[in-house]
Amino acid sequence: SSSSSSSSSSSSCSNPDHFYYGDDVPPPPFENVFLHPMVRDAQGRKMSKSLGNVVDPTDMIEGKALDLLIESVAEGNIDEKERKVAIKALRKDFPKGIPECGTDGVRFALCAYMAQGDKINLDITRVQNYRFLCNKLWQASKFVFSAIMVNKEQISRNDDSQPSKEDNSEIDGNQLHIRPPSADVGLEEEGVGHLPERWILIRLSRCVVKVRDAIDKYKFSDATSSLHSFMVSEFCDVYIELAKSKLRSDIKEERALATGTLATVLETLLRLLHPFMPFVTEELWQRLKRITGGFSDPGVPSRAYSSSPLNNFELQQPPDSIMVASYPEPCYDILGSENTGICDDDKNGATGDPGVEEIMADILGTLLLIRSSQDQFRKHLEPNCPFVLYIPHRLPYVRKALPLLQSQVKVNLVLAKEEEVTLGEKRTIVRAAEQSGVRVAFRLAYSEHIEEDIRAIEKRLNKAVTSEQRLKEQMEKPGYAEKTPRNIVDKKIKALDDFQDQIKELKAMVQELRALRE
């Protein structure tokens, strides 16, 4: 009876917040179930066999050729007229079939699509891009594995007590000489030698906070966006490139510092990514565990940022799988904040290492200025001519970072006084970074192909202007801001800013090249 059921529920259920299903019925596997929006095609239409726009998730994971897609439609239970429409749509939407995207790529893509709100307009090209993201993670991990193995071999050569290259026995993490930058030493005493390591650990900690907050709020798109941005734009594109010069150093401590930081960031990143990319992260995590000889399961960022050895690579009993490893915890020792909310990147007081992110922003801005100038005028640079840098005195750490900048570019860099970086000499180009005020000057040699280059740049300029105008017209339509999801509006605004910056840069290049003809 209902009364007996009620009394049984109140007496037998140890937790009153849980439902009671009877003595012989196990509880449900999940207490919270997330329902995703309706999945539509790339044009926003409902998937229908008669339209030929139905996408089987298995086909996205494994890939499927166009002829097999057509064969599936031909065998379907639809009339001849609908079959012809469906086949025509397949040929238009998937001229080369559906590319193989992999389970992790599809899973990450579906989580990233959550920002669209009440529907998912599934674009196979975007899903495939997340497969490429898995490939990038794999390649970055291979680089870190190689760095760790090289470090092991160098230690083995220097210490006969260490296992040889052929010895597969485990090695204590302390013997790898992996050390993080000391949190007890300020930038004044340390200079900029450890600045990239401090910076990447701060950015990693910010990523941990943002991802955990997004997951707690079921904002899976925000989580994937933070992970994508950190992995590609900060770890792969910036820190790995900066670490390469340290890995080639003759100084053991420099190599160990880079190796330890790479390993720490990768291990934490794999655990952060695991809910979204379970298969590739498990495989890479197991390989990292074997290469390092096993590691414990602490909150990696906080321990990595202390002056003690990297505890996550000490010889302890590690978890059997990344699935049961603890999810990374926020580390406010690094961020210098006790609050549990998102740490704002723009708040100067939100970091426990004051100025690190600001200084790195100036250094990376200077590096971008040099590289972009070198790339844009590569064919016109005067042979063996140095790039002369003026760095304002208010940026002493950027001046100290000259060896770091030099290690990242192939041209010779020279510091100069302000009056030396002028347009006084003919064929001298001066470029400036708006944010920091850093300027770079270099000489150009006359080229017979200058007219051809000017025409090519003007063609790019016209294309950028057309794209900017088209985007403006789209955003200025009545009701656009109200009807369009906020994340899409933000992307359009960013794209418009990028077009405007590109137009400004291309116009400057045309003017500078025209000056060479005079």
Side-chain angles (χ1 to χ4, degrees):
S1 66
S2 59
S3 60
S4 62
S5 298
S6 175
S7 62
S8 175
S9 174
S10 61
S11 61
S12 301
C13 184
S14 59
N15 187 345
D17 295 331
H18 289 68
F19 290 106
Y20 176 69
Y21 294 88
D23 294 334
D24 299 327
V25 180
F30 305 104
E31 296 181 7
N32 298 311
V33 178
F34 181 82
L35 302 179
H36 63 74
M38 178 180 287
V39 180
R40 300 170 177 253
D41 69 5
Q43 288 78 41
R45 302 173 300 175
K46 287 186 178 180
M47 292 189 180
S48 168
K49 291 183 179 179
S50 60
L51 293 176
N53 63 347
V54 177
V55 178
D56 188 327
T58 305
D59 294 341
M60 286 195 296
I61 293 171
E62 300 176 354
K64 198 166 189 177
L66 177 60
D67 56 343
L68 295 178
L69 291 173
I70 294 174
E71 183 180 326
S72 298
V73 172
E75 294 174 352
N77 187 23
I78 56 176
D79 62 42
E80 187 61 29
K81 183 178 179 180
E82 291 179 334
R83 184 177 293 112
K84 289 181 180 180
V85 173
I87 291 175
K88 182 178 179 181
L90 282 175
R91 294 185 186 278
K92 178 182 178 181
D93 295 339
F94 309 111
K96 297 181 180 179
I98 297 177
E100 180 184 353
C101 300
T103 306
D104 287 327
V106 172
R107 184 183 179 101
F108 196 91
L110 292 175
C111 291
Y113 265 116
M114 289 298 106
Q116 290 190 357
D118 61 342
K119 60 183 178 181
I120 293 177
N121 295 344
L122 189 65
D123 186 348
I124 300 298
T125 303
R126 183 178 175 184
V127 179
Q128 187 182 26
N129 287 337
Y130 290 120
R131 179 202 173 187
F132 299 151
L133 183 67
C134 296
N135 294 343
K136 192 172 188 70
L137 176 64
W138 189 274
Q139 294 302 321
S141 300
K142 285 179 61 179
F143 174 82
V144 176
F145 298 161
S146 175
I148 295 172
M149 294 305 297
V150 169
N151 196 34
K152 281 186 179 183
E153 293 171 5
Q154 290 171 336
I155 294 170
S156 298
R157 288 196 295 267
N158 295 333
D159 189 349
D160 293 335
S161 66
Q162 298 296 324
S164 66
K165 181 178 179 180
E166 291 77 16
D167 191 349
N168 293 324
S169 60
E170 292 180 334
I171 296 179
D172 190 331
N174 291 320
Q175 296 171 344
L176 293 178
H177 298 287
I178 297 176
R179 295 292 185 274
S182 174
D184 300 326
V185 181
L187 286 174
E188 289 294 337
E189 297 95 330
E190 191 179 74
V192 296
H194 296 171
L195 189 66
E197 285 68 37
R198 290 177 179 269
W199 174 79
I200 194 63
L201 290 173
I202 290 173
R203 300 308 300 170
L204 172 63
S205 297
R206 289 199 190 281
C207 183
V208 171
V209 175
K210 291 179 179 180
V211 171
R212 289 188 66 98
D213 182 79
I215 292 176
D216 289 343
K217 296 177 180 178
Y218 296 96
K219 295 182 178 180
F220 300 132
S221 176
D222 292 351
T224 57
S225 177
S226 296
L227 287 165
H228 185 286
S229 176
F230 173 78
M231 189 186 91
V232 175
S233 303
E234 296 175 343
F235 183 48
C236 294
D237 291 352
V238 177
Y239 183 69
I240 284 182
E241 295 303 316
L242 295 178
K244 289 178 180 178
S245 60
K246 288 188 176 181
L247 294 174
R248 295 190 295 265
S249 173
D250 294 331
I251 303 173
K252 179 180 66 176
E253 289 75 14
E254 289 291 308
R255 297 194 306 269
L257 176 67
T259 303
T261 306
L262 285 168
T264 296
V265 175
L266 176 62
E267 197 274 339
T268 308
L269 179 60
L270 291 175
R271 287 188 287 135
L272 276 174
L273 281 167
H274 181 67
F276 307 96
M277 295 180 176
F279 295 98
V280 67
T281 52
E282 178 72 70
E283 175 64 26
L284 293 172
W285 192 82
Q286 293 293 349
R287 293 190 183 199
L288 181 61
K289 182 172 71 170
R290 290 195 298 269
I291 291 173
T292 57
F295 41 79
S296 66
D297 186 35
V300 174
S302 60
R303 301 199 179 191
Y305 207 69
S306 66
S307 57
S308 61
L310 290 182
N311 292 337
N312 61 313
F313 291 101
E314 289 179 359
L315 188 58
Q316 297 183 18
Q317 182 63 36
D320 293 331
S321 168
I322 192 174
M323 290 189 293
V324 294
S326 64
Y327 204 64
E329 294 282 347
C331 179
Y332 297 108
D333 292 342
I334 297 178
L335 297 176
S337 174
E338 294 291 334
N339 64 70
T340 57
I342 289 295
C343 293
D344 188 349
D345 292 354
D346 298 327
K347 292 182 180 178
N348 294 329
T351 171
D353 216 336
V356 168
E357 291 171 287
E358 292 83 357
I359 293 170
M360 275 298 293
D362 290 334
I363 292 174
L364 295 177
T366 303
L367 184 59
L368 177 62
L369 177 66
I370 298 169
R371 284 176 171 170
S372 62
S373 300
Q374 187 181 6
D375 291 340
Q376 290 166 6
F377 296 97
R378 187 177 300 276
K379 294 191 294 184
H380 305 287
L381 290 175
E382 192 170 277
N384 302 320
C385 183
F387 274 40
V388 182
L389 286 173
Y390 165 69
I391 301 174
H393 293 290
R394 62 182 176 81
L395 302 175
Y397 292 112
V398 180
R399 299 174 70 87
K400 292 179 182 179
L402 186 63
L404 176 64
L405 294 170
Q406 184 65 76
S407 69
Q408 301 300 308
V409 296
K410 295 182 179 179
V411 295
N412 187 30
L413 303 179
V414 178
L415 280 178
K417 297 179 180 178
E418 183 175 5
E419 57 266 22
E420 292 180 286
V421 186
T422 65
L423 282 169
E425 295 187 41
K426 191 175 181 181
R427 300 200 309 275
T428 298
I429 301 295
V430 177
R431 286 296 183 89
E434 294 182 3
Q435 297 290 337
S436 64
V438 174
R439 287 186 288 171
V440 59
F442 49 93
R443 286 178 57 82
L444 302 182
Y446 181 77
S447 170
E448 297 179 355
H449 305 288
I450 191 170
E451 294 294 341
E452 179 183 340
D453 293 334
I454 291 176
R455 285 194 296 272
I457 295 173
E458 287 178 336
K459 184 177 180 180
R460 291 170 54 195
L461 176 60
N462 293 333
K463 185 177 179 181
V465 170
T466 302
S467 299
E468 180 206 24
Q469 187 61 35
R470 187 184 300 116
L471 191 56
K472 275 185 176 180
E473 292 174 356
Q474 180 183 352
M475 297 177 68
E476 290 172 356
K477 289 181 179 179
Y480 171 81
E482 293 77 16
K483 298 177 182 178
T484 309
R486 184 63 208 174
N487 68 301
I488 302 298
V489 173
D490 292 341
K491 287 182 180 179
K492 297 289 187 182
I493 293 174
K494 184 180 184 304
L496 186 61
D497 291 340
D498 291 342
F499 279 130
Q500 291 171 346
D501 291 342
Q502 185 181 8
I503 290 169
K504 182 179 179 180
E505 185 176 302
L506 292 173
K507 284 182 177 179
M509 288 180 63
V510 170
Q511 292 176 356
E512 290 161 348
L513 289 177
R514 282 175 177 168
L516 292 179
R517 299 181 303 186
E518 302 173 356

